[in-house]
């Protein structure tokens, strides 16, 4: 059974710091991995999608990497800003023949001004 | 461009009352549709998903049900709400195995 873990559960950093969020999954048989952002009381916003054949994806100050064989992904945020404060979730799409996405429990990020 | 709508945005219901939450998607055809629930302090729980009209897969046995009467419409229902049904309900869609897009969510409080 696929399980997705995100550590740490919460993180506080000063503005301007570069930071890394971690996502681990137990089964390497995945189609893709997606990173989301969730602001309090809001839906999830898709940030980056990495296909299983890719190693990384970049969007602005965000860079996500994927090491499928070790079951790990990282989301790198450069020059963090207070507006980056949110909960970040990762999700994997298994190759098990269904259309389900398995989510981690998220990392709650607070960037201090 | 694609858009996903959910309503209502918030809902307060007494225990034992019925429930109907609606989700519609615009700008795409034959999407996969999903209902997730996010309880306070917990992760996202997949409740139902659908790959086509009338095709519903249930992930968690409970007093909730889902229906897909039209290609881009997904409805979450209950005949009698429980206190444990309180949470943030999110509808989502995807095409094939690609990116997953979420709606704004419905905050349900059962008293």
């Amino acid at each position: 059974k696929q399980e997705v873990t995100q550590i740490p559960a919460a993180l506080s950093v000063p503005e301007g710091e570069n930071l890394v969020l971690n996502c681990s999954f137990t089964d390497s048989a995945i189609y893709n991995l997606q990173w989301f952002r969730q602001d309090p009381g809001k839906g999830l916003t898709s940030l980056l999608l990495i296909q299983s054949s890719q190693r990384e994806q970049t969007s602005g100050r965000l860079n996500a990497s994927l090491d499928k064989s070790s079951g790990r992904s990282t989301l790198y945020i450069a020059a963090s800003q207070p507006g980056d404060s949110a909960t970040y979730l990762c999700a994997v799409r298994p190759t098990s023949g269904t259309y389900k996405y398995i989510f981690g429990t998220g990392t709650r990020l607070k960037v201090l001004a | 461009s694609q858009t996903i709508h959910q309503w209502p945005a918030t809902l307060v219901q007494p225990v034992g009352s019925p429930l109907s939450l609606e989700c519609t998607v615009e700008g795409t055809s034959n999407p996969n549709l999903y209902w997730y629930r996010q309880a306070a302090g917990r992760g996202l729980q997949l409740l139902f998903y659908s790959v086509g009209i009338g095709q519903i897969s249930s992930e968690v046995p409970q007093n909730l049900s889902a229906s897909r009467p039209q290609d881009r419409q997904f409805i979450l229902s209950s005949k009698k709400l429980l206190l444990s049904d309180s949470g943030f309900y999110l509808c989502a869609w995807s095409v094939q195995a690609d990116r997953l897009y979420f709606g704004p969510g419905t905050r349900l409080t059962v008293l």
Side-chain angles (χ1 to χ4, degrees), chain B residues 77-91:
Chain B
S77 304
S78 174
K79 292 182 179 179
K80 289 185 177 182
L81 283 169
L82 306 173
L83 286 174
S84 58
D85 291 324
S86 293
F88 192 44
Y89 288 81
L90 290 156
C91 181

Side-chain angles (χ1 to χ4, degrees), chain A:
Chain A
K1 178 185 175 184
Q2 177 74 270
E3 293 183 358
V4 181
T5 304
Q6 291 186 250
I7 295 174
L11 182 64
S12 288
V13 300
E15 182 177 5
E17 189 165 302
N18 301 325
L19 57 99
V20 174
L21 306 181
N22 297 296
C23 172
S24 300
F25 48 96
T26 55
D27 188 342
S28 62
I30 62 170
Y31 274 127
N32 58 47
L33 183 144
Q34 207 169 340
W35 281 94
F36 296 88
R37 168 186 173 138
Q38 186 178 28
D39 294 292
K42 305 292 185 182
L44 280 69
T45 300
S46 178
L47 296 173
L48 290 164
L49 172 71
I50 310 177
Q51 302 293 350
S52 62
S53 58
Q54 298 175 322
R55 297 287 297 198
E56 64 179 283
Q57 281 287 325
T58 298
S59 176
R61 294 183 294 109
L62 305 180
N63 176 276
S65 66
L66 175 64
D67 184 343
K68 201 172 66 166
S69 60
S70 66
R72 294 181 181 178
S73 176
T74 61
L75 178 66
Y76 175 84
I77 303 177
S80 58
Q81 303 170 358
D84 295 328
S85 299
T87 297
Y88 291 81
L89 299 98
C90 66
V92 299
R93 160 76 161 85
T95 60
S96 58
T98 68
Y99 290 94
K100 296 187 290 184
Y101 295 76
I102 312 299
F103 279 82
T105 52
T107 293
R108 190 169 63 253
L109 172 67
K110 187 169 185 179
V111 181
L112 305 171

Side-chain angles (χ1 to χ4, degrees), chain B residues 33 35 47-59 65-69 73-75:
Chain B
L33 296 173
W35 278 112
L47 302 175
F48 302 94
Y49 70 96
S50 170
V51 299
I53 296 174
Q55 301 179 59
I56 309 293
S57 296
S58 174
E59 289 297 300
S65 63
S67 62
R68 185 171 177 173
Q73 184 185 29
F74 206 22
I75 298 172

